[in-house]
Tab-separated table of all heavy atoms in Angstrom:
chain	number	residue	atom	x	y	z
U	1	TRP	N	0.838	-1.202	0.000
U	1	TRP	CA	0.000	0.000	0.000
U	1	TRP	C	0.878	1.259	0.000
U	1	TRP	O	0.626	2.207	-0.744
U	1	TRP	CB	-0.935	-0.013	1.193
U	1	TRP	CG	-1.743	1.245	1.392
U	1	TRP	CD1	-1.709	2.088	2.463
U	1	TRP	CD2	-2.723	1.791	0.493
U	1	TRP	NE1	-2.583	3.131	2.298
U	1	TRP	CE2	-3.225	2.972	1.089
U	1	TRP	CE3	-3.203	1.402	-0.749
U	1	TRP	CZ2	-4.194	3.761	0.484
U	1	TRP	CZ3	-4.176	2.208	-1.356
U	1	TRP	CH2	-4.653	3.366	-0.748
U	2	GLY	N	1.930	1.238	0.811
U	2	GLY	CA	2.837	2.378	0.861
U	2	GLY	C	3.558	2.591	-0.457
U	2	GLY	O	3.698	3.721	-0.933
U	3	SER	N	4.014	1.498	-1.076
U	3	SER	CA	4.701	1.592	-2.366
U	3	SER	C	3.761	2.138	-3.445
U	3	SER	O	4.177	2.937	-4.303
U	3	SER	CB	5.220	0.217	-2.794
U	3	SER	OG	6.165	-0.267	-1.862
U	4	PHE	N	2.491	1.732	-3.376
U	4	PHE	CA	1.492	2.234	-4.328
U	4	PHE	C	1.311	3.744	-4.178
U	4	PHE	O	1.296	4.482	-5.180
U	4	PHE	CB	0.158	1.514	-4.113
U	4	PHE	CG	-0.987	2.106	-4.894
U	4	PHE	CD1	-1.082	1.907	-6.269
U	4	PHE	CD2	-1.957	2.864	-4.254
U	4	PHE	CE1	-2.131	2.465	-6.995
U	4	PHE	CE2	-3.004	3.422	-4.968
U	4	PHE	CZ	-3.101	3.221	-6.346
U	5	LEU	N	1.199	4.213	-2.933
U	5	LEU	CA	1.018	5.649	-2.705
U	5	LEU	C	2.259	6.449	-3.107
U	5	LEU	O	2.149	7.561	-3.634
U	5	LEU	CB	0.683	5.913	-1.230
U	5	LEU	CG	-0.697	5.462	-0.757
U	5	LEU	CD1	-0.900	5.831	0.708
U	5	LEU	CD2	-1.791	6.087	-1.612
U	6	VAL	N	3.433	5.880	-2.865
U	6	VAL	CA	4.678	6.542	-3.301
U	6	VAL	C	4.714	6.647	-4.822
U	6	VAL	O	5.107	7.688	-5.380
U	6	VAL	CB	5.922	5.776	-2.786
U	6	VAL	CG1	7.197	6.307	-3.442
U	6	VAL	CG2	6.040	5.902	-1.265
U	7	LEU	N	4.295	5.584	-5.495
U	7	LEU	CA	4.261	5.578	-6.961
U	7	LEU	C	3.271	6.617	-7.486
U	7	LEU	O	3.574	7.355	-8.441
U	7	LEU	CB	3.873	4.187	-7.466
U	7	LEU	CG	4.074	3.908	-8.969
U	7	LEU	CD1	5.550	4.039	-9.345
U	7	LEU	CD2	3.557	2.513	-9.317
U	8	VAL	N	2.119	6.702	-6.847
U	8	VAL	CA	1.107	7.698	-7.245
U	8	VAL	C	1.653	9.110	-7.048
U	8	VAL	O	1.500	9.985	-7.911
U	8	VAL	CB	-0.200	7.506	-6.442
U	8	VAL	CG1	-1.152	8.681	-6.674
U	8	VAL	CG2	-0.884	6.200	-6.833
U	9	SER	N	2.285	9.326	-5.911
U	9	SER	CA	2.843	10.660	-5.626
U	9	SER	C	3.947	11.018	-6.619
U	9	SER	O	4.130	12.195	-6.957
U	9	SER	CB	3.373	10.719	-4.195
U	9	SER	OG	4.531	9.926	-4.047
U	10	TYR	N	4.681	10.005	-7.079
U	10	TYR	CA	5.726	10.245	-8.072
U	10	TYR	C	5.117	10.743	-9.399
U	10	TYR	O	5.602	11.716	-9.993
U	10	TYR	CB	6.524	8.968	-8.312
U	10	TYR	CG	7.457	9.039	-9.506
U	10	TYR	CD1	8.636	9.785	-9.442
U	10	TYR	CD2	7.148	8.381	-10.700
U	10	TYR	CE1	9.482	9.876	-10.549
U	10	TYR	CE2	7.990	8.463	-11.803
U	10	TYR	CZ	9.158	9.214	-11.720
U	10	TYR	OH	9.978	9.304	-12.810
U	11	PHE	N	4.041	10.091	-9.831
U	11	PHE	CA	3.409	10.478	-11.090
U	11	PHE	C	2.738	11.857	-10.993
U	11	PHE	O	2.623	12.563	-11.994
U	11	PHE	CB	2.377	9.427	-11.508
U	11	PHE	CG	2.999	8.190	-12.099
U	11	PHE	CD1	2.883	6.963	-11.463
U	11	PHE	CD2	3.722	8.251	-13.277
U	11	PHE	CE1	3.464	5.818	-12.000
U	11	PHE	CE2	4.304	7.120	-13.832
U	11	PHE	CZ	4.175	5.897	-13.190
U	12	PHE	N	2.298	12.212	-9.766
U	12	PHE	CA	1.647	13.509	-9.578
U	12	PHE	C	2.549	14.517	-8.859
U	12	PHE	O	2.058	15.512	-8.346
U	12	PHE	CB	0.348	13.326	-8.784
U	12	PHE	CG	-0.746	12.647	-9.552
U	12	PHE	CD1	-0.940	11.279	-9.450
U	12	PHE	CD2	-1.578	13.373	-10.395
U	12	PHE	CE1	-1.941	10.637	-10.158
U	12	PHE	CE2	-2.581	12.747	-11.113
U	12	PHE	CZ	-2.766	11.369	-10.995
U	13	SER	N	3.848	14.246	-8.854
U	13	SER	CA	4.779	15.118	-8.131
U	13	SER	C	4.799	16.543	-8.681
U	13	SER	O	4.895	17.512	-7.919
U	13	SER	CB	6.191	14.531	-8.153
U	13	SER	OG	6.643	14.343	-9.480
U	14	ASN	N	4.686	16.679	-10.001
U	14	ASN	CA	4.650	18.021	-10.594
U	14	ASN	C	3.421	18.786	-10.146
U	14	ASN	O	3.497	19.984	-9.822
U	14	ASN	CB	4.678	17.932	-12.129
U	14	ASN	CG	6.054	17.574	-12.662
U	14	ASN	OD1	7.067	17.891	-12.051
U	14	ASN	ND2	6.096	16.904	-13.808
U	15	ASN	N	2.271	18.111	-10.126
U	15	ASN	CA	1.031	18.751	-9.700
U	15	ASN	C	1.080	19.134	-8.229
U	15	ASN	O	0.637	20.227	-7.844
U	15	ASN	CB	-0.161	17.808	-9.951
U	15	ASN	CG	-0.276	17.390	-11.403
U	15	ASN	OD1	0.431	16.506	-11.853
U	15	ASN	ND2	-1.158	18.025	-12.155
U	16	LEU	N	1.627	18.234	-7.405
U	16	LEU	CA	1.740	18.517	-5.975
U	16	LEU	C	2.694	19.676	-5.726
U	16	LEU	O	2.443	20.521	-4.858
U	16	LEU	CB	2.229	17.266	-5.239
U	16	LEU	CG	1.228	16.115	-5.125
U	16	LEU	CD1	1.910	14.835	-4.640
U	16	LEU	CD2	0.093	16.493	-4.177
U	17	SER	N	3.771	19.719	-6.496
U	17	SER	CA	4.725	20.812	-6.359
U	17	SER	C	4.090	22.145	-6.759
U	17	SER	O	4.296	23.169	-6.094
U	17	SER	CB	5.962	20.535	-7.213
U	17	SER	OG	6.911	21.577	-7.087
U	18	LEU	N	3.307	22.121	-7.826
U	18	LEU	CA	2.601	23.334	-8.253
U	18	LEU	C	1.607	23.799	-7.199
U	18	LEU	O	1.468	25.005	-6.949
U	18	LEU	CB	1.879	23.069	-9.583
U	18	LEU	CG	2.731	23.071	-10.850
U	18	LEU	CD1	1.932	22.532	-12.028
U	18	LEU	CD2	3.231	24.482	-11.147
U	19	TYR	N	0.922	22.842	-6.573
U	19	TYR	CA	-0.080	23.176	-5.555
U	19	TYR	C	0.576	23.758	-4.299
U	19	TYR	O	0.092	24.752	-3.740
U	19	TYR	CB	-0.881	21.931	-5.199
U	19	TYR	CG	-1.852	22.152	-4.064
U	19	TYR	CD1	-3.026	22.882	-4.257
U	19	TYR	CD2	-1.589	21.635	-2.790
U	19	TYR	CE1	-3.905	23.093	-3.213
U	19	TYR	CE2	-2.464	21.853	-1.743
U	19	TYR	CZ	-3.626	22.571	-1.956
U	19	TYR	OH	-4.498	22.785	-0.916
U	20	LEU	N	1.685	23.153	-3.865
U	20	LEU	CA	2.325	23.568	-2.617
U	20	LEU	C	3.226	24.794	-2.785
U	20	LEU	O	3.294	25.650	-1.899
U	20	LEU	CB	3.151	22.413	-2.045
U	20	LEU	CG	2.374	21.200	-1.530
U	20	LEU	CD1	3.333	20.087	-1.140
U	20	LEU	CD2	1.507	21.586	-0.339
U	21	PHE	N	3.919	24.871	-3.932
U	21	PHE	CA	4.936	25.914	-4.088
U	21	PHE	C	4.732	26.810	-5.317
U	21	PHE	O	5.564	27.666	-5.595
U	21	PHE	CB	6.331	25.258	-4.197
U	21	PHE	CG	6.640	24.321	-3.075
U	21	PHE	CD1	6.681	22.949	-3.293
U	21	PHE	CD2	6.874	24.791	-1.790
U	21	PHE	CE1	6.961	22.065	-2.253
U	21	PHE	CE2	7.153	23.924	-0.752
U	21	PHE	CZ	7.205	22.565	-0.982
U	22	GLU	N	3.628	26.574	-6.064
U	22	GLU	CA	3.336	27.341	-7.275
U	22	GLU	C	4.467	27.223	-8.292
U	22	GLU	O	4.735	28.151	-9.061
U	22	GLU	CB	3.062	28.810	-6.930
U	22	GLU	CG	1.859	28.991	-6.019
U	22	GLU	CD	1.592	30.450	-5.711
U	22	GLU	OE1	2.451	31.291	-6.071
U	22	GLU	OE2	0.539	30.762	-5.133
U	23	SER	N	5.158	26.085	-8.257
U	23	SER	CA	6.237	25.798	-9.192
U	23	SER	C	6.468	24.297	-9.220
U	23	SER	O	6.327	23.618	-8.202
U	23	SER	CB	7.519	26.521	-8.758
U	23	SER	OG	8.617	26.074	-9.519
U	24	SER	N	6.842	23.778	-10.402
U	24	SER	CA	7.068	22.337	-10.538
U	24	SER	C	8.513	21.939	-10.274
U	24	SER	O	8.861	20.762	-10.365
U	24	SER	CB	6.659	21.880	-11.938
U	24	SER	OG	7.446	22.540	-12.925
U	25	LYS	N	9.360	22.906	-9.927
U	25	LYS	CA	10.790	22.605	-9.762
U	25	LYS	C	11.104	21.822	-8.493
U	25	LYS	O	12.223	21.346	-8.319
U	25	LYS	CB	11.611	23.893	-9.779
U	25	LYS	CG	11.351	24.822	-8.601
U	25	LYS	CD	12.213	26.069	-8.704
U	25	LYS	CE	12.001	26.985	-7.504
U	25	LYS	NZ	12.847	28.205	-7.590
U	26	ASN	N	10.122	21.690	-7.609
U	26	ASN	CA	10.333	20.946	-6.363
U	26	ASN	C	9.728	19.546	-6.410
U	26	ASN	O	9.520	18.921	-5.368
U	26	ASN	CB	9.745	21.716	-5.173
U	26	ASN	CG	10.470	23.026	-4.914
U	26	ASN	OD1	11.685	23.053	-4.743
U	26	ASN	ND2	9.728	24.120	-4.909
U	27	SER	N	9.464	19.057	-7.616
U	27	SER	CA	8.849	17.731	-7.753
U	27	SER	C	9.752	16.630	-7.208
U	27	SER	O	9.271	15.620	-6.681
U	27	SER	CB	8.504	17.448	-9.219
U	27	SER	OG	9.678	17.522	-10.020
U	28	ASP	N	11.072	16.819	-7.330
U	28	ASP	CA	12.001	15.814	-6.801
U	28	ASP	C	11.924	15.732	-5.273
U	28	ASP	O	12.044	14.656	-4.686
U	28	ASP	CB	13.431	16.118	-7.241
U	28	ASP	CG	13.911	17.495	-6.808
U	28	ASP	OD1	13.063	18.411	-6.671
U	28	ASP	OD2	15.121	17.665	-6.595
U	29	LEU	N	11.688	16.876	-4.628
U	29	LEU	CA	11.537	16.893	-3.168
U	29	LEU	C	10.248	16.194	-2.743
U	29	LEU	O	10.202	15.536	-1.706
U	29	LEU	CB	11.548	18.334	-2.644
U	29	LEU	CG	12.890	19.063	-2.696
U	29	LEU	CD1	12.732	20.519	-2.267
U	29	LEU	CD2	13.912	18.360	-1.809
U	30	ILE	N	9.201	16.344	-3.545
U	30	ILE	CA	7.934	15.657	-3.273
U	30	ILE	C	8.146	14.148	-3.301
U	30	ILE	O	7.670	13.418	-2.418
U	30	ILE	CB	6.854	16.066	-4.301
U	30	ILE	CG1	6.517	17.554	-4.197
U	30	ILE	CG2	5.599	15.210	-4.120
U	30	ILE	CD1	5.836	17.958	-2.911
U	31	THR	N	8.874	13.666	-4.295
U	31	THR	CA	9.155	12.231	-4.403
U	31	THR	C	9.978	11.737	-3.221
U	31	THR	O	9.689	10.684	-2.640
U	31	THR	CB	9.902	11.932	-5.719
U	31	THR	OG1	9.118	12.386	-6.822
U	31	THR	CG2	10.162	10.442	-5.865
U	32	LEU	N	11.007	12.497	-2.863
U	32	LEU	CA	11.839	12.122	-1.715
U	32	LEU	C	11.012	12.081	-0.424
U	32	LEU	O	11.159	11.157	0.391
U	32	LEU	CB	12.995	13.106	-1.555
U	32	LEU	CG	14.179	12.950	-2.510
U	32	LEU	CD1	15.137	14.120	-2.359
U	32	LEU	CD2	14.908	11.633	-2.249
U	33	CYS	N	10.142	13.062	-0.252
U	33	CYS	CA	9.309	13.106	0.952
U	33	CYS	C	8.303	11.959	0.994
U	33	CYS	O	7.921	11.501	2.076
U	33	CYS	CB	8.572	14.445	1.045
U	33	CYS	SG	9.626	15.803	1.571
U	34	SER	N	7.880	11.496	-0.160
U	34	SER	CA	6.976	10.347	-0.223
U	34	SER	C	7.691	9.085	0.265
U	34	SER	O	7.117	8.275	1.008
U	34	SER	CB	6.457	10.149	-1.645
U	34	SER	OG	5.766	11.304	-2.097
U	35	ILE	N	8.950	8.928	-0.150
U	35	ILE	CA	9.753	7.798	0.322
U	35	ILE	C	10.048	7.949	1.819
U	35	ILE	O	10.047	6.968	2.572
U	35	ILE	CB	11.059	7.702	-0.488
U	35	ILE	CG1	10.750	7.498	-1.967
U	35	ILE	CG2	11.933	6.544	0.016
U	35	ILE	CD1	11.967	7.606	-2.879
U	36	TRP	N	10.278	9.185	2.247
U	36	TRP	CA	10.464	9.478	3.674
U	36	TRP	C	9.232	9.033	4.461
U	36	TRP	O	9.352	8.404	5.530
U	36	TRP	CB	10.725	10.972	3.825
U	36	TRP	CG	10.816	11.506	5.224
U	36	TRP	CD1	10.969	10.784	6.386
U	36	TRP	CD2	10.768	12.878	5.631
U	36	TRP	NE1	11.015	11.622	7.475
U	36	TRP	CE2	10.900	12.907	7.032
U	36	TRP	CE3	10.635	14.069	4.936
U	36	TRP	CZ2	10.888	14.102	7.760
U	36	TRP	CZ3	10.628	15.264	5.646
U	36	TRP	CH2	10.755	15.274	7.044
U	37	ALA	N	8.044	9.325	3.935
U	37	ALA	CA	6.796	8.938	4.605
U	37	ALA	C	6.687	7.422	4.739
U	37	ALA	O	6.248	6.897	5.774
U	37	ALA	CB	5.600	9.495	3.837
U	38	LEU	N	7.087	6.701	3.683
U	38	LEU	CA	7.069	5.236	3.742
U	38	LEU	C	8.050	4.737	4.799
U	38	LEU	O	7.760	3.783	5.532
U	38	LEU	CB	7.418	4.655	2.369
U	38	LEU	CG	7.412	3.131	2.242
U	38	LEU	CD1	6.061	2.544	2.648
U	38	LEU	CD2	7.770	2.704	0.817
U	39	GLY	N	9.201	5.393	4.893
U	39	GLY	CA	10.171	5.050	5.932
U	39	GLY	C	9.621	5.283	7.328
U	39	GLY	O	9.842	4.479	8.242
U	40	LEU	N	8.885	6.377	7.502
U	40	LEU	CA	8.247	6.656	8.797
U	40	LEU	C	7.236	5.573	9.155
U	40	LEU	O	7.124	5.159	10.312
U	40	LEU	CB	7.554	8.026	8.755
U	40	LEU	CG	8.453	9.265	8.723
U	40	LEU	CD1	7.612	10.525	8.477
U	40	LEU	CD2	9.223	9.400	10.034
U	41	ALA	N	6.482	5.119	8.141
U	41	ALA	CA	5.491	4.056	8.359
U	41	ALA	C	6.181	2.757	8.768
U	41	ALA	O	5.742	2.066	9.698
U	41	ALA	CB	4.657	3.849	7.101
U	42	PHE	N	7.271	2.410	8.090
U	42	PHE	CA	8.050	1.227	8.457
U	42	PHE	C	8.586	1.345	9.886
U	42	PHE	O	8.583	0.376	10.643
U	42	PHE	CB	9.209	1.026	7.487
U	42	PHE	CG	8.837	0.409	6.172
U	42	PHE	CD1	9.408	0.859	4.993
U	42	PHE	CD2	7.916	-0.621	6.103
U	42	PHE	CE1	9.084	0.290	3.772
U	42	PHE	CE2	7.574	-1.199	4.888
U	42	PHE	CZ	8.155	-0.745	3.722
U	43	SER	N	9.045	2.540	10.234
U	43	SER	CA	9.589	2.762	11.576
U	43	SER	C	8.517	2.570	12.640
U	43	SER	O	8.773	1.987	13.702
U	43	SER	CB	10.193	4.167	11.676
U	43	SER	OG	11.319	4.303	10.833
U	44	GLN	N	7.307	3.048	12.372
U	44	GLN	CA	6.214	2.859	13.326
U	44	GLN	C	5.912	1.385	13.531
U	44	GLN	O	5.577	0.949	14.635
U	44	GLN	CB	4.964	3.594	12.838
U	44	GLN	CG	5.033	5.087	13.009
U	44	GLN	CD	3.660	5.728	13.037
U	44	GLN	OE1	2.668	5.137	13.477
U	44	GLN	NE2	3.581	6.954	12.557
U	45	MET	N	6.053	0.609	12.459
U	45	MET	CA	5.792	-0.825	12.549
U	45	MET	C	6.808	-1.513	13.444
U	45	MET	O	6.451	-2.322	14.313
U	45	MET	CB	5.796	-1.436	11.137
U	45	MET	CG	5.574	-2.937	11.120
U	45	MET	SD	4.010	-3.404	11.900
U	45	MET	CE	4.359	-5.112	12.306
U	46	TYR	N	8.101	-1.224	13.258
U	46	TYR	CA	9.092	-1.899	14.104
U	46	TYR	C	9.023	-1.395	15.543
U	46	TYR	O	9.305	-2.147	16.478
U	46	TYR	CB	10.502	-1.805	13.497
U	46	TYR	CG	11.353	-0.628	13.857
U	46	TYR	CD1	11.911	-0.499	15.132
U	46	TYR	CD2	11.674	0.348	12.920
U	46	TYR	CE1	12.726	0.576	15.453
U	46	TYR	CE2	12.493	1.416	13.229
U	46	TYR	CZ	13.014	1.526	14.499
U	46	TYR	OH	13.829	2.588	14.818
């Protein structure tokens, strides 16, 4: 489920970047933060 959401966020990273920062240049940060979120979820599990 986490990998699916990360994949979705990757495909919509430009849109999310435009929504949050009014620019698509931060799409790479959106992708990194999505992986960070999955890491946080894994950490909660352990």
